[in-house]
Structures are given as C-alpha cells and as structure tokens.
Amino acid sequence: MSLSVDIRRSFGGFDLRTAFDAPEGVTVLFGRSGSGKTSVVKSVAGLVTPEQGNITLNGRVLFDAATRTDLPVHKRRLGYVFQDSRLFPHLSVQDNLCYAARVSGRGVKDPREVGALLGISHLLDRRTHSLSGGEAQRVAIGRALLSEPDMLLMDEPLASLDGPRKAEILPYLETLRRETGLSILYVTHNMAEVARLATHIVLIDEGRVVRSGAPEEVLTDPDMVRLLGIRDAGAVLSATVSRHYSDGLSALAISAGEIMLPTVDAPVGAKIRVRILAQDVILARARPEGLSALNILPARVLAVRRGEGPGVIVQLQAGEDRLLARITRRSADTLNIIEGAECYAVMKSVAVSQTDIAVGLQTGL
Amino acid sequence: MIGWLGPEEWQAVALSLKVSFWATLLSLPFGLLCALALARGRFIGRDVLNWLVHLPLVLPPVVTGYLLLLGFGRQGPIGSVLDDIFGITLAFQWTGAALAASIMAFPLMVRAMRLAIEAVDPKLEEAAATLGASRIKVFSTVTLPLILPGIIAGAVLAFAKAMGEFGATITFVSNIPGETRTVPSAIYAFLQVPGGETSAIRLVIVAVVIAIGALILSEWLSRRVARRISGV
C-alpha cells in the first residue's frame, strides 16, 4: 500500500517539482503556505493536471504524462477532505454521507458505523446548515470514508477551525488512523498535528521536497528547524505509560529513563507519543540539584547549529531517542556545549500540554 | 371568466396562454444550455453568443419581428427549408407567435438561469467528483438541484414576458383573430375601433391579473425550492 508521486507543474511563476513516496500510514506533507503542498494533493486527486511526471497508487497508474494517462477525478477512488467541509447544502447529513453510494454504487459501508466512529450518529437527520464547524468537518470526513477510498487525502482539514474545535477533531483522526488502517496523505503547516498524526513526513519548500522520513528523524534534524519554525521545533518521543500518581502526574517510560507529565489520559501500559519543544528543554553540564523541574535526562550532544539570532539548536541523543534543545549562543559557549559533550536535558513537566500528547497508538512508532 | 369575457376576448386570452406556454417550454432547454455556456464555458465566440442572446432586449421589437419575417417567412432562408422539408409554416401562424415570444423572452430567461449557475460554488462540484460522481452525475445531483430556483424564476419571467409580447409578434405574424391575435394585439385592435374600450379594459384587467399571478407564483416557487435546497 503506497502512493508514489513524481510530478512537475509550473503555474503563476511557481515551479513545482515534487517527488516522494507515501508508505502505509499517515504521510504528512508539511510546508509553509505557498510551498506547493495543496497543489501536490490536488494533482494526486486529479483536480489539477501536472505537466510532467507520474502518480501511482498501489501500482494503479493515476497519472502518467509519458503515456498520456490521466484518470478522471471520479475514477481515482481517493477520498478528499477539504479545508472547508463542502457539504452539499441541498442534502441532509445522512444524504451527504450516502452520496458516494448514490452516485457510484461503490460505497457499501453502513453510515451508522462511520457515524459512530466519528461521533456524528446523532446528526444524521439534521440539515447541514445547522452543524457547527467541527461537526460539519466530521461529516465531511465520514462522507469521504463512505466512498470506500483506496487512500484519504486531507488538505488542512483543521485549518479553518478554532482551537477548541481542532482539539475536538484530533482524537477522531487518531481513532480513524487506528481503526480503519486507511492510508492518509495529510497536508498541514501545524506542528501539533504533525506530531500527533504523522507516521511519515515529507517536508516541502518552494515546490521541492527537502526531506522525508520518520517523524523521529525529520523533526529532530537541526537542519530542518528553520523550515519547521523555530518556536515549533521539537522532538516526538514514543513513550509507555508506567504509572499514574494521585498528585496529577503520570510517569512515562522512554528509552532514556522515566519522565513525569501531567496526567495522561491513557491506561498503564499504553503507548503514547509526546512532543517536547526545543525551547522547553534546558541543558546542564552537571546533574542539577535542588531544581523544581522533575525531568532530568542524561544526554550527549550530537550536533550544534548556530542560526542568525542569539539562539542555537542543540541535537541530543538521550537513550535511543533524539531531542532538540534551543539555548542561547552565550550559554552554549559558556558551558562548552560542543559535539560529543555529555550533559543533562532538563524539562518542566507542565511545559508539555495535552495537545502535544497523542494517546492510543497501537504501533510503537 | 369565460362568461364575463366576450368570445373574441376569451379567444385572445386562451391563445396568449397557449403561445406563452409553448414559447416557455420549448425555450427552456436552449435557455439552460446558453446559460451554462455563458456561465461556465470557455470558448471562442462566447462574447458573440452573449450579444446574440441579449440582442432582442436592446433591439426595437419591430426590428426583431421583421428579422424573423425575413428569416422564417415562407421565402426566408430558414422558413423555406422548414416549409419544404417539414411542412412547417411559422409566418402568420400561432407557432410563429410562439417563436417571436420565446425569442423576446429568451434574454430574461438566460439571465436568471445564468445568475443561478454562477452562484453555485464549483468547489461543491469538485467535492462531488472526488466522491465518485461522473460529470453527468455531478450535474444532475449537485448543480441542477442547486440552480432549480433560478430555472423556475427564469421560466416564470419568460412566461410573463411572452404574455406581453407585442411588437415582434405583430410584425412577424400579424394580428389574425384566433390565430395570432394575442392579448396585447387584441387590446391594440379593440382600441382602433369605436366602442372597443370596454373589451380593451377587460383584457387589461386579465393581463394585470396574469402578470401579478405569475410574479406571486415565481416568488412562491423559488422560495419553496430555495428552502428545500438550503434547508433553512
């Protein structure tokens, strides 16, 4: 199960040359607005036509400029979730969900099953105009799922929603990934979504793929920090819930030891994913004493990247995981933080917010 | 109403209704095609089509009627073909009145439909395609239901306009009682003879009632359809 894209398209002075493979799982296309990522997804769906190249899904050729193959949109069997929900205003929620079955006869799944998965069962008889933004987007996701696609394309599905609505939908997306096993190509420029959903990342800048790989590697690559955004840079760690304490903390086992976080909504033994921002990590050369921060991990400096500003990005190896820390250049010089230096990474428990924690992962990504 | 109207007046009303009904019905598919082409089409000659459609709106009706007579008259290039091959004569027939009425009403019909088509968000059609709908299915399940109020409004407007058509009709098909004497032609004819005012007034009342009725009907229909579509 994989999507292979190698396309070239010029439009409005923009030159898109993008080649990548999206393996099974959730592949996130990440890039700033205007980087060309929406163009890529639209090309995959057939909504725009590249000038050159080819697009293949599980060996099925969707587009090939060389053989002049250009499968029409409705024959590509790809579910598309747009930024705006694009529900049909003249149909009820139920009829929106069953639209694919009506026009193509290929959707045979029970809408109630999808309704339960996305928490929209109680909305089936409603008209679309009465739905909230979050509800409408969940119906749109359900409608795409019920077309029984070979792959789901999601183009910034949460971008038009406010913070609480985003938080409302993210768990459904995690459930979707876990329960359906459907591969997803997910476009976003929101790091929190990347950290929670991605099993593979493709970084796009000015129409070119600059890096692709597992989130653990890509997100902790100090050379990618500028592209990911200095304030959003940070590592994604796999962790196992080892204990819940009554004082509002949970202990998590990671490869370098144990860390404490505010109570994680997952049972003991559950695999979760935690995003630790570079700017929330402090470095110390000696094991600090008398510190309020609860998490102190021994680490070794792998690389130090100096930017233009007063800060430097330090890549660390902690156990089998990689971390990023953002500290001042002055501190790096004073403490002699250089490649190979042994140090301690210090993190405040409360620095990690609930939106940076992805629960309910089956795979130990 | 039949008792209240004289036989001649009733004849004119019935003829007007018949002419307008057929004029509207037969121009509907062409109107829809033109509206689609103008709203969505990207082709050479789109501007020319736009002018042609709107021409009857700006030309003096008598000019349109005379052009119809030249083209569709028995000696005209189109009229002679219709006559020779199909045995259809339009000049001085009620069918000719229907043609004149539909051409005069065409710009109004196309305009209303075009506005409705342009109001449809193409993004919805994109979404339908990604859900597996072919172009025909997209049109029949998304576009058509969404533009239905515009189609109805266009049809009712065209009907009302056809009911009132005078200049092109009288030029093309003359003013023959029972054949081409529609309500406006009849009013005109009654006003030419002494003592015809009462008949004229009765027809004026009928014309006003039908016009207002058409407006109310179109309002009601489009509101009903709009409600069904948006679910408000």
Side-chain angles (χ1 to χ4, degrees), chain A residues 42 47 73-74 78 80 82 84 86-91 99-100 102-104 106 127 129 143-144 147, chain B residues 123-124 126-135 137-138 140-142 145-146 227-232:
Chain A
K42 284 192 159 180
L47 296 173
V73 180
H74 69 277
L78 293 164
Y80 203 128
F82 301 87
D84 41 345
R86 301 196 186 182
L87 298 180
F88 303 123
H90 57 298
L91 300 177
Y99 183 81
R102 179 177 153 204
V103 293
S104 66
R106 67 181 145 94
R127 305 293 312 210
H129 72 97
R143 184 177 68 171
S147 71
Chain B
K123 289 174 167 182
L124 292 176
E126 260 183 15
T130 66
L131 291 164
S134 62
R135 291 184 78 157
K137 284 272 172 67
V138 171
S140 65
T141 59
V142 176
L146 289 175
R227 204 180 312 135
R228 192 172 65 83
I229 284 171
S230 66
V232 179

CSV table of all heavy atoms in Angstrom, one decimal, chain A residues 42 47 73-74 78 80 82 84 86-91 99-100 102-104 106 127 129 143-144 147, chain B residues 123-124 126-135 137-138 140-142 145-146 227-232:
chain,number,residue,atom,x,y,z
A,42,LYS,N,-3.9,18.2,-4.8
A,42,LYS,CA,-4.8,18.3,-5.9
A,42,LYS,C,-4.4,17.6,-7.2
A,42,LYS,O,-5.3,17.0,-7.9
A,42,LYS,CB,-5.0,19.8,-6.3
A,42,LYS,CG,-5.8,20.6,-5.3
A,42,LYS,CD,-6.2,21.9,-5.8
A,42,LYS,CE,-7.4,22.5,-5.1
A,42,LYS,NZ,-7.8,23.8,-5.5
A,47,LEU,N,-7.6,17.0,-9.5
A,47,LEU,CA,-8.3,18.3,-9.6
A,47,LEU,C,-7.4,19.3,-10.4
A,47,LEU,O,-7.9,20.3,-11.0
A,47,LEU,CB,-8.6,18.9,-8.2
A,47,LEU,CG,-9.6,18.0,-7.4
A,47,LEU,CD1,-9.8,18.5,-6.0
A,47,LEU,CD2,-11.0,18.0,-8.1
A,73,VAL,N,-11.1,12.4,-12.1
A,73,VAL,CA,-11.2,12.5,-10.7
A,73,VAL,C,-12.1,11.4,-10.1
A,73,VAL,O,-11.8,10.8,-9.1
A,73,VAL,CB,-11.8,13.9,-10.3
A,73,VAL,CG1,-12.0,14.0,-8.8
A,73,VAL,CG2,-11.0,15.0,-10.8
A,74,HIS,N,-13.3,11.2,-10.7
A,74,HIS,CA,-14.3,10.3,-10.1
A,74,HIS,C,-13.9,8.9,-10.2
A,74,HIS,O,-14.5,8.0,-9.6
A,74,HIS,CB,-15.7,10.6,-10.7
A,74,HIS,CG,-15.8,10.1,-12.1
A,74,HIS,ND1,-15.4,10.9,-13.2
A,74,HIS,CD2,-16.3,9.0,-12.7
A,74,HIS,CE1,-15.7,10.3,-14.3
A,74,HIS,NE2,-16.2,9.2,-14.0
A,78,LEU,N,-10.2,8.1,-4.5
A,78,LEU,CA,-9.5,8.8,-3.4
A,78,LEU,C,-10.5,9.6,-2.6
A,78,LEU,O,-11.3,10.4,-3.3
A,78,LEU,CB,-8.4,9.7,-4.0
A,78,LEU,CG,-7.2,9.0,-4.7
A,78,LEU,CD1,-6.5,10.0,-5.5
A,78,LEU,CD2,-6.3,8.4,-3.7
A,80,TYR,N,-11.4,12.8,-0.5
A,80,TYR,CA,-10.8,14.1,-0.3
A,80,TYR,C,-11.5,14.9,0.8
A,80,TYR,O,-12.7,15.1,0.7
A,80,TYR,CB,-10.8,14.9,-1.6
A,80,TYR,CG,-9.8,16.0,-1.8
A,80,TYR,CD1,-9.0,16.0,-2.9
A,80,TYR,CD2,-9.6,16.9,-0.8
A,80,TYR,CE1,-8.0,17.0,-3.1
A,80,TYR,CE2,-8.6,17.9,-1.0
A,80,TYR,CZ,-7.9,17.9,-2.2
A,80,TYR,OH,-6.9,18.9,-2.3
A,82,PHE,N,-11.6,18.5,2.3
A,82,PHE,CA,-11.1,19.8,2.1
A,82,PHE,C,-11.0,20.6,3.4
A,82,PHE,O,-11.6,20.3,4.4
A,82,PHE,CB,-12.0,20.5,1.1
A,82,PHE,CG,-12.2,19.8,-0.2
A,82,PHE,CD1,-13.1,18.8,-0.4
A,82,PHE,CD2,-11.3,20.1,-1.3
A,82,PHE,CE1,-13.3,18.2,-1.6
A,82,PHE,CE2,-11.5,19.5,-2.5
A,82,PHE,CZ,-12.4,18.5,-2.7
A,84,ASP,N,-12.5,23.5,3.8
A,84,ASP,CA,-13.9,23.8,4.1
A,84,ASP,C,-14.6,22.5,3.9
A,84,ASP,O,-14.3,21.8,3.0
A,84,ASP,CB,-14.4,24.9,3.2
A,84,ASP,CG,-13.9,24.8,1.8
A,84,ASP,OD1,-12.9,24.0,1.6
A,84,ASP,OD2,-14.5,25.4,0.9
A,86,ARG,N,-17.4,21.6,2.6
A,86,ARG,CA,-18.0,21.4,1.3
A,86,ARG,C,-19.1,20.4,1.3
A,86,ARG,O,-19.3,19.5,0.4
A,86,ARG,CB,-17.0,20.9,0.2
A,86,ARG,CG,-15.9,21.9,0.0
A,86,ARG,CD,-15.1,21.7,-1.2
A,86,ARG,NE,-14.0,22.6,-1.3
A,86,ARG,CZ,-13.1,22.6,-2.3
A,86,ARG,NH1,-13.3,21.8,-3.4
A,86,ARG,NH2,-12.1,23.4,-2.4
A,87,LEU,N,-20.0,20.4,2.3
A,87,LEU,CA,-21.1,19.6,2.4
A,87,LEU,C,-22.2,20.1,1.4
A,87,LEU,O,-22.2,21.3,1.2
A,87,LEU,CB,-21.7,19.5,3.8
A,87,LEU,CG,-20.8,19.0,4.9
A,87,LEU,CD1,-21.5,19.0,6.2
A,87,LEU,CD2,-20.4,17.6,4.5
A,88,PHE,N,-23.0,19.2,0.9
A,88,PHE,CA,-24.0,19.7,-0.1
A,88,PHE,C,-25.2,20.3,0.6
A,88,PHE,O,-25.8,19.6,1.5
A,88,PHE,CB,-24.5,18.5,-1.0
A,88,PHE,CG,-23.3,17.8,-1.7
A,88,PHE,CD1,-23.1,16.5,-1.5
A,88,PHE,CD2,-22.5,18.5,-2.5
A,88,PHE,CE1,-22.0,15.8,-2.2
A,88,PHE,CE2,-21.4,17.9,-3.2
A,88,PHE,CZ,-21.2,16.6,-3.0
A,89,PRO,N,-25.4,21.6,0.4
A,89,PRO,CA,-26.5,22.3,1.2
A,89,PRO,C,-27.9,21.7,0.9
A,89,PRO,O,-28.7,21.9,1.8
A,89,PRO,CB,-26.3,23.7,0.7
A,89,PRO,CG,-25.7,23.7,-0.6
A,89,PRO,CD,-24.8,22.4,-0.6
A,90,HIS,N,-28.1,21.1,-0.2
A,90,HIS,CA,-29.5,20.7,-0.5
A,90,HIS,C,-29.7,19.3,0.0
A,90,HIS,O,-30.8,18.7,-0.2
A,90,HIS,CB,-29.7,20.7,-2.0
A,90,HIS,CG,-28.8,19.9,-2.8
A,90,HIS,ND1,-27.4,20.2,-2.9
A,90,HIS,CD2,-29.0,18.9,-3.6
A,90,HIS,CE1,-26.8,19.3,-3.7
A,90,HIS,NE2,-27.8,18.5,-4.2
A,91,LEU,N,-28.7,18.7,0.7
A,91,LEU,CA,-28.9,17.3,1.2
A,91,LEU,C,-28.8,17.3,2.7
A,91,LEU,O,-28.1,18.1,3.3
A,91,LEU,CB,-27.9,16.4,0.6
A,91,LEU,CG,-27.9,16.2,-0.9
A,91,LEU,CD1,-26.8,15.3,-1.4
A,91,LEU,CD2,-29.2,15.7,-1.4
A,99,TYR,N,-23.8,10.0,-0.2
A,99,TYR,CA,-23.7,10.5,-1.6
A,99,TYR,C,-22.9,9.6,-2.5
A,99,TYR,O,-23.3,9.3,-3.6
A,99,TYR,CB,-23.1,11.9,-1.6
A,99,TYR,CG,-23.0,12.5,-2.9
A,99,TYR,CD1,-24.2,13.1,-3.5
A,99,TYR,CD2,-21.9,12.5,-3.7
A,99,TYR,CE1,-24.1,13.7,-4.7
A,99,TYR,CE2,-21.8,13.0,-5.0
A,99,TYR,CZ,-23.0,13.6,-5.5
A,99,TYR,OH,-22.9,14.2,-6.7
A,100,ALA,N,-21.8,9.1,-2.0
A,100,ALA,CA,-20.9,8.3,-2.9
A,100,ALA,C,-21.6,7.0,-3.3
A,100,ALA,O,-21.5,6.6,-4.5
A,100,ALA,CB,-19.6,7.9,-2.1
A,102,ARG,N,-24.7,6.7,-3.7
A,102,ARG,CA,-25.8,7.1,-4.6
A,102,ARG,C,-25.2,7.3,-6.0
A,102,ARG,O,-25.8,6.8,-7.0
A,102,ARG,CB,-26.5,8.3,-4.1
A,102,ARG,CG,-27.6,8.9,-5.0
A,102,ARG,CD,-28.2,10.1,-4.3
A,102,ARG,NE,-28.7,11.0,-5.3
A,102,ARG,CZ,-28.9,12.3,-5.1
A,102,ARG,NH1,-28.6,12.8,-3.9
A,102,ARG,NH2,-29.4,13.0,-6.0
A,103,VAL,N,-24.1,7.9,-6.2
A,103,VAL,CA,-23.6,8.2,-7.5
A,103,VAL,C,-22.7,7.2,-8.1
A,103,VAL,O,-22.6,7.1,-9.3
A,103,VAL,CB,-22.8,9.6,-7.5
A,103,VAL,CG1,-23.7,10.7,-7.2
A,103,VAL,CG2,-21.6,9.6,-6.6
A,104,SER,N,-22.1,6.4,-7.3
A,104,SER,CA,-21.2,5.4,-7.9
A,104,SER,C,-21.6,3.9,-7.5
A,104,SER,O,-21.1,3.0,-8.2
A,104,SER,CB,-19.8,5.6,-7.4
A,104,SER,OG,-19.7,5.4,-6.0
A,106,ARG,N,-20.5,2.3,-5.1
A,106,ARG,CA,-19.5,1.5,-4.6
A,106,ARG,C,-19.4,1.6,-3.0
A,106,ARG,O,-18.7,0.8,-2.4
A,106,ARG,CB,-18.1,1.9,-5.2
A,106,ARG,CG,-17.6,3.2,-4.9
A,106,ARG,CD,-16.3,3.4,-5.7
A,106,ARG,NE,-16.0,4.7,-6.1
A,106,ARG,CZ,-15.4,5.7,-5.5
A,106,ARG,NH1,-14.9,5.4,-4.3
A,106,ARG,NH2,-15.2,6.9,-6.0
A,127,ARG,N,-30.0,19.1,8.9
A,127,ARG,CA,-29.6,19.7,7.7
A,127,ARG,C,-28.2,20.3,7.9
A,127,ARG,O,-27.9,20.6,9.0
A,127,ARG,CB,-30.6,20.9,7.4
A,127,ARG,CG,-32.0,20.5,7.3
A,127,ARG,CD,-32.4,19.6,6.1
A,127,ARG,NE,-31.9,20.1,4.9
A,127,ARG,CZ,-32.5,19.8,3.7
A,127,ARG,NH1,-33.6,19.2,3.7
A,127,ARG,NH2,-31.9,20.2,2.6
A,129,HIS,N,-26.7,23.1,7.3
A,129,HIS,CA,-26.5,24.5,7.7
A,129,HIS,C,-26.5,24.6,9.2
A,129,HIS,O,-26.1,25.6,9.8
A,129,HIS,CB,-27.5,25.4,7.1
A,129,HIS,CG,-28.9,25.2,7.7
A,129,HIS,ND1,-29.4,26.1,8.7
A,129,HIS,CD2,-29.9,24.3,7.5
A,129,HIS,CE1,-30.6,25.6,9.0
A,129,HIS,NE2,-30.9,24.6,8.3
A,143,ARG,N,-18.2,11.3,5.0
A,143,ARG,CA,-18.6,11.2,3.6
A,143,ARG,C,-17.5,10.7,2.8
A,143,ARG,O,-17.7,9.8,1.9
A,143,ARG,CB,-19.1,12.6,3.2
A,143,ARG,CG,-19.6,12.7,1.8
A,143,ARG,CD,-20.1,14.1,1.4
A,143,ARG,NE,-19.0,15.0,1.3
A,143,ARG,CZ,-19.1,16.2,0.8
A,143,ARG,NH1,-20.3,16.7,0.5
A,143,ARG,NH2,-18.0,17.0,0.7
A,144,ALA,N,-16.3,11.2,3.0
A,144,ALA,CA,-15.1,10.7,2.2
A,144,ALA,C,-14.9,9.2,2.5
A,144,ALA,O,-14.6,8.4,1.6
A,144,ALA,CB,-13.9,11.5,2.5
A,147,SER,N,-17.0,6.6,0.8
A,147,SER,CA,-16.8,6.4,-0.7
A,147,SER,C,-15.8,5.2,-0.8
A,147,SER,O,-15.4,4.9,-1.9
A,147,SER,CB,-16.3,7.6,-1.4
A,147,SER,OG,-15.0,8.0,-1.0
B,123,LYS,N,-16.6,24.5,-6.0
B,123,LYS,CA,-16.0,23.6,-5.0
B,123,LYS,C,-16.9,22.4,-4.7
B,123,LYS,O,-16.4,21.3,-4.3
B,123,LYS,CB,-15.6,24.4,-3.8
B,123,LYS,CG,-14.5,25.3,-4.0
B,123,LYS,CD,-14.3,26.2,-2.7
B,123,LYS,CE,-13.0,26.9,-2.7
B,123,LYS,NZ,-12.9,27.7,-1.4
B,124,LEU,N,-18.2,22.7,-4.6
B,124,LEU,CA,-19.1,21.6,-4.3
B,124,LEU,C,-19.1,20.5,-5.4
B,124,LEU,O,-19.2,19.3,-5.2
B,124,LEU,CB,-20.6,22.1,-4.2
B,124,LEU,CG,-20.8,23.0,-3.0
B,124,LEU,CD1,-22.2,23.5,-3.0
B,124,LEU,CD2,-20.6,22.2,-1.7
B,126,GLU,N,-16.5,19.9,-7.3
B,126,GLU,CA,-15.2,19.2,-7.2
B,126,GLU,C,-15.4,18.1,-6.1
B,126,GLU,O,-14.9,17.0,-6.3
B,126,GLU,CB,-14.2,20.2,-6.6
B,126,GLU,CG,-13.2,20.7,-7.7
B,126,GLU,CD,-12.2,21.7,-7.1
B,126,GLU,OE1,-12.0,21.7,-5.8
B,126,GLU,OE2,-11.5,22.3,-7.9
B,127,ALA,N,-16.0,18.5,-5.0
B,127,ALA,CA,-16.2,17.5,-3.9
B,127,ALA,C,-17.0,16.3,-4.4
B,127,ALA,O,-16.7,15.2,-4.1
B,127,ALA,CB,-16.9,18.2,-2.7
B,128,ALA,N,-18.0,16.6,-5.2
B,128,ALA,CA,-18.8,15.5,-5.7
B,128,ALA,C,-18.0,14.6,-6.6
B,128,ALA,O,-18.1,13.4,-6.6
B,128,ALA,CB,-20.0,16.1,-6.5
B,129,ALA,N,-17.1,15.2,-7.4
B,129,ALA,CA,-16.3,14.3,-8.3
B,129,ALA,C,-15.4,13.5,-7.5
B,129,ALA,O,-15.2,12.3,-7.8
B,129,ALA,CB,-15.5,15.2,-9.3
B,130,THR,N,-14.8,14.0,-6.4
B,130,THR,CA,-13.9,13.2,-5.6
B,130,THR,C,-14.7,12.0,-4.9
B,130,THR,O,-14.1,11.0,-4.5
B,130,THR,CB,-13.2,14.0,-4.5
B,130,THR,OG1,-14.1,14.4,-3.5
B,130,THR,CG2,-12.4,15.1,-5.0
B,131,LEU,N,-16.0,12.2,-4.8
B,131,LEU,CA,-16.8,11.1,-4.2
B,131,LEU,C,-17.3,10.1,-5.2
B,131,LEU,O,-18.0,9.2,-4.9
B,131,LEU,CB,-18.0,11.7,-3.5
B,131,LEU,CG,-17.6,12.5,-2.2
B,131,LEU,CD1,-18.7,13.4,-1.7
B,131,LEU,CD2,-17.2,11.6,-1.1
B,132,GLY,N,-16.8,10.3,-6.5
B,132,GLY,CA,-17.1,9.2,-7.5
B,132,GLY,C,-18.1,9.6,-8.5
B,132,GLY,O,-18.6,8.7,-9.2
B,133,ALA,N,-18.6,10.9,-8.5
B,133,ALA,CA,-19.6,11.3,-9.4
B,133,ALA,C,-19.0,11.7,-10.8
B,133,ALA,O,-18.1,12.5,-10.8
B,133,ALA,CB,-20.4,12.4,-8.8
B,134,SER,N,-19.5,11.1,-11.8
B,134,SER,CA,-19.1,11.5,-13.2
B,134,SER,C,-19.6,12.9,-13.4
B,134,SER,O,-20.4,13.4,-12.7
B,134,SER,CB,-19.6,10.5,-14.2
B,134,SER,OG,-21.0,10.5,-14.2
B,135,ARG,N,-19.2,13.5,-14.5
B,135,ARG,CA,-19.6,14.9,-14.8
B,135,ARG,C,-21.2,15.0,-14.9
B,135,ARG,O,-21.8,15.9,-14.5
B,135,ARG,CB,-19.0,15.4,-16.1
B,135,ARG,CG,-17.5,15.6,-15.9
B,135,ARG,CD,-16.9,16.2,-17.1
B,135,ARG,NE,-17.2,17.6,-17.2
B,135,ARG,CZ,-16.4,18.5,-17.9
B,135,ARG,NH1,-15.4,18.0,-18.6
B,135,ARG,NH2,-16.7,19.7,-17.9
B,137,LYS,N,-23.4,13.0,-13.5
B,137,LYS,CA,-23.9,12.8,-12.2
B,137,LYS,C,-23.7,14.0,-11.3
B,137,LYS,O,-24.6,14.4,-10.6
B,137,LYS,CB,-23.2,11.6,-11.5
B,137,LYS,CG,-23.7,10.2,-12.0
B,137,LYS,CD,-24.9,9.8,-11.2
B,137,LYS,CE,-25.6,8.5,-11.8
B,137,LYS,NZ,-24.8,7.3,-11.6
B,138,VAL,N,-22.6,14.7,-11.5
B,138,VAL,CA,-22.3,15.9,-10.7
B,138,VAL,C,-23.4,16.9,-11.1
B,138,VAL,O,-24.0,17.6,-10.2
B,138,VAL,CB,-20.9,16.5,-11.0
B,138,VAL,CG1,-20.8,17.9,-10.4
B,138,VAL,CG2,-19.8,15.6,-10.5
B,140,SER,N,-26.4,16.4,-12.4
B,140,SER,CA,-27.8,16.0,-12.1
B,140,SER,C,-28.0,16.0,-10.5
B,140,SER,O,-29.1,16.2,-10.1
B,140,SER,CB,-28.2,14.7,-12.7
B,140,SER,OG,-27.4,13.6,-12.2
B,141,THR,N,-27.0,15.7,-9.8
B,141,THR,CA,-27.2,15.5,-8.3
B,141,THR,C,-26.8,16.8,-7.5
B,141,THR,O,-27.2,16.9,-6.4
B,141,THR,CB,-26.4,14.3,-7.7
B,141,THR,OG1,-25.0,14.5,-8.0
B,141,THR,CG2,-26.9,13.0,-8.3
B,142,VAL,N,-25.9,17.6,-8.1
B,142,VAL,CA,-25.5,18.8,-7.4
B,142,VAL,C,-25.9,20.1,-8.1
B,142,VAL,O,-26.7,20.9,-7.5
B,142,VAL,CB,-24.0,18.8,-7.1
B,142,VAL,CG1,-23.5,20.1,-6.4
B,142,VAL,CG2,-23.6,17.6,-6.3
B,145,PRO,N,-30.0,20.5,-8.9
B,145,PRO,CA,-30.9,20.9,-7.8
B,145,PRO,C,-30.6,22.3,-7.2
B,145,PRO,O,-31.5,23.0,-6.7
B,145,PRO,CB,-30.5,19.8,-6.7
B,145,PRO,CG,-29.8,18.7,-7.4
B,145,PRO,CD,-29.3,19.3,-8.7
B,146,LEU,N,-29.3,22.7,-7.3
B,146,LEU,CA,-28.9,24.0,-6.7
B,146,LEU,C,-29.4,25.1,-7.6
B,146,LEU,O,-29.7,26.2,-7.0
B,146,LEU,CB,-27.4,24.1,-6.5
B,146,LEU,CG,-26.9,23.2,-5.3
B,146,LEU,CD1,-25.4,23.3,-5.3
B,146,LEU,CD2,-27.5,23.7,-4.0
B,227,ARG,N,-35.9,26.9,0.0
B,227,ARG,CA,-36.0,26.3,1.3
B,227,ARG,C,-35.6,24.9,1.3
B,227,ARG,O,-34.8,24.4,2.2
B,227,ARG,CB,-37.4,26.5,1.9
B,227,ARG,CG,-37.4,26.5,3.4
B,227,ARG,CD,-38.8,26.7,3.9
B,227,ARG,NE,-39.5,27.8,3.3
B,227,ARG,CZ,-40.8,27.7,2.8
B,227,ARG,NH1,-41.5,26.6,3.0
B,227,ARG,NH2,-41.4,28.7,2.3
B,228,ARG,N,-36.0,24.2,0.3
B,228,ARG,CA,-35.7,22.8,0.2
B,228,ARG,C,-34.2,22.6,0.0
B,228,ARG,O,-33.6,21.6,0.6
B,228,ARG,CB,-36.5,22.1,-1.0
B,228,ARG,CG,-36.4,20.6,-1.0
B,228,ARG,CD,-37.3,20.1,-2.1
B,228,ARG,NE,-36.9,20.5,-3.4
B,228,ARG,CZ,-36.0,19.8,-4.1
B,228,ARG,NH1,-35.4,18.8,-3.6
B,228,ARG,NH2,-35.6,20.2,-5.3
B,229,ILE,N,-33.6,23.5,-0.7
B,229,ILE,CA,-32.2,23.3,-1.1
B,229,ILE,C,-31.3,23.7,0.1
B,229,ILE,O,-30.4,23.0,0.4
B,229,ILE,CB,-31.8,24.2,-2.3
B,229,ILE,CG1,-32.4,23.5,-3.5
B,229,ILE,CG2,-30.4,24.5,-2.4
B,229,ILE,CD1,-32.3,24.4,-4.7
B,230,SER,N,-31.6,24.8,0.7
B,230,SER,CA,-30.6,25.2,1.8
B,230,SER,C,-31.1,24.7,3.1
B,230,SER,O,-30.3,24.7,4.1
B,230,SER,CB,-30.6,26.8,1.9
B,230,SER,OG,-31.9,27.2,2.3
B,231,GLY,N,-32.3,24.1,3.2
B,231,GLY,CA,-32.7,23.5,4.4
B,231,GLY,C,-33.1,24.5,5.5
B,231,GLY,O,-33.3,24.2,6.7
B,232,VAL,N,-33.2,25.8,5.2
B,232,VAL,CA,-33.5,26.8,6.2
B,232,VAL,C,-34.9,26.8,6.6
B,232,VAL,O,-35.8,26.6,5.7
B,232,VAL,CB,-33.1,28.2,5.7
B,232,VAL,CG1,-33.5,29.3,6.7
B,232,VAL,CG2,-31.7,28.3,5.4
